[in-house]
Amino acid sequence: MSARDESTDKIIETVENGLLALRVRNRFGSLLVYRQGAQVVDYTPAGGAPVLFVSRASRLERKKAIRGGVPICFPWFGPHEERKELPAHGFARTSEFEYLGGATSASGEVSLRFGLKAGPATRESFPYDFEAHYEVRLGENLTLVFTVRNTGNVPFTFEAALHTYFAVSDVRQVEVTGLTGESYLDQLSGRVEQEAERAVRISREVDRIYTSRATCHLVDPGLDREIVVSKQGSASTVVWNPWIEKSQRLADLGDDEYLRMLCIESANVRPETIELFPSEAHALQVSIASERLDAERRAG
Ligand code: BG6
């Protein structure tokens, strides 16, 4: 499409499943973002299929993590290092973000801005002054920018991940390229390994934290598409699929839904934890593009 069609540019504040949300539609596609966790739960490029997976078993309730879309993990990833009673992946994904407004650029790209600040609730588990800012842009690609600023007087460290659940035709049939040669922490064995394969394929539970800034390609012949995940300010890539037994243990994931999802998370976690001095800020940016497969790759 060339000329901008203003009539389709829309940002609608709405309530979906009892949660405050923003719906966007423009010539590039559509988006749904919950204010809780500023969680993008739908990104559908114009004329294409939904790029993100959301579990049919997900609890869409206030203060409950949503299983799918792009949860923001912050300020820690996985279980809290010292206090195991704290929620996994930090408080951002269950916090209500402020909606700071939306805008449309001259090219027709729509951006939504969200904010989360330190307050009494966040200080209970993360005793620092910070401001987090999240920009969600619907243009040729989906662009997500998560920025954390230290607004206090002392340095702090944090982890962050844009924990993206991609929808796939059948996880056993897809491959992820771009990680060859990168080292990773296998969260299942606790060992550090080096990726020897040309492509990561999923035939069992996979839970790996790669040290990598590389662009990943999720090639899905069944959906005739390739998702390209490129990033800036992110030194970790987490690849996660729960496979059969873990899916059965997760109440908010259908037993067979592990086949329909694959998480490729753009992150800064573990050895790539970020340290911020007073007034410093760090931005983690990911761009997600959905492309048709060319004939060669379609044939495998
Ligand atoms: C992944 C972690 O990022 O998130 C896994 O690497 C974890 O270890 C998964 O199981 C899901 O976490 P949660 O808290 O949403 O069930």
Side-chain angles (χ1 to χ4, degrees):
M1 267 177 276
S2 51
R4 181 174 155 205
D5 178 0
E6 307 241 358
S7 65
T8 62
D9 288 351
K10 282 202 183 97
I11 301 174
I12 299 169
E13 294 190 52
T14 174
V15 177
E16 299 271 340
N17 302 298
L19 300 175
L20 291 172
L22 281 301
R23 210 172 248 297
V24 178
R25 191 161 69 92
N26 66 7
R27 69 185 176 95
F28 299 111
S30 57
L31 273 185
L32 179 64
V33 188
Y34 286 123
R35 289 256 308 265
Q36 175 167 298
Q39 192 155 335
V40 180
V41 287
D42 176 47
Y43 163 46
T44 304
V51 166
L52 303 174
F53 163 90
V54 179
S55 167
R56 60 171 189 268
S58 183
R59 286 181 302 186
L60 295 165
E61 287 169 42
R62 292 198 60 218
K63 300 198 184 301
K64 299 281 184 231
I66 298 165
R67 177 74 63 198
V70 190
I72 299 174
C73 305
F74 169 81
W76 61 89
F77 180 80
H80 190 279
E81 247 190 331
E82 288 123 38
R83 296 172 57 188
K84 302 298 171 208
E85 75 283 6
L86 291 174
H89 290 327
F91 49 71
R93 65 176 173 169
T94 50
S95 297
E96 195 76 1
F97 277 59
E98 193 181 346
Y99 173 50
L100 302 172
T104 304
S105 75
S107 67
E109 183 174 80
V110 170
S111 62
L112 304 176
R113 292 177 300 111
F114 299 88
L116 180 71
K117 285 183 188 166
T122 66
R123 286 194 189 96
E124 279 173 22
S125 55
F126 188 68
Y128 303 104
D129 287 327
F130 73 89
E131 274 182 29
H133 185 266
Y134 191 45
E135 193 174 343
V136 177
R137 296 205 297 259
L138 177 61
E140 293 286 354
N141 306 326
L142 173 67
T143 305
L144 307 172
V145 190
F146 182 65
T147 306
V148 178
R149 180 175 296 282
N150 182 339
T151 54
N153 303 318
V154 293
F156 63 72
T157 60
F158 71 95
E159 295 175 295
L162 298 176
H163 190 310
T164 313
Y165 287 76
F166 289 109
V168 294
S169 58
D170 180 336
V171 80
R172 298 166 297 190
Q173 307 297 330
V174 305
E175 57 180 37
V176 180
T177 61
L179 295 167
T180 310
E182 306 285 42
S183 70
Y184 64 89
L185 170 66
D186 186 330
Q187 296 231 81
L188 303 174
S189 68
R191 294 195 354 218
V192 175
E193 314 268 3
Q194 193 170 21
E195 185 56 68
E197 303 294 333
R198 182 194 62 82
V200 178
R201 300 187 68 96
I202 312 292
S203 54
R204 59 192 160 92
E205 183 179 355
V206 170
D207 190 350
R208 300 176 181 172
I209 302 175
Y210 288 86
T211 295
S212 179
R213 295 178 181 271
T215 296
C216 284
H217 298 249
L218 169 58
V219 180
D220 188 342
L223 286 177
D224 187 21
R225 79 172 172 199
E226 172 176 3
I227 292 169
V228 183
V229 184
S230 42
K231 54 192 198 151
Q232 287 168 23
S234 162
S236 327
T237 298
V238 182
V239 178
W240 179 62
N241 181 279
W243 205 244
I244 299 167
E245 282 166 21
K246 188 154 184 180
S247 295
Q248 291 167 352
R249 290 202 301 275
L250 294 172
D252 58 353
L253 188 69
D255 286 358
D256 55 351
E257 284 188 306
Y258 71 94
L259 291 170
R260 306 278 165 255
M261 54 147 288
L262 181 59
C263 288
I264 302 176
E265 310 168 31
S266 300
N268 290 299
V269 299
R270 303 300 184 266
E272 311 307 329
T273 293
I274 303 280
E275 179 169 30
L276 281 185
F277 284 85
S279 311
E280 280 185 345
H282 180 274
L284 189 174
Q285 173 166 337
V286 60
S287 160
I288 296 168
S290 174
E291 297 171 3
R292 294 285 301 275
L293 281 185
D294 52 45
E296 196 183 323
R297 281 175 307 168
R298 217 170 6 235

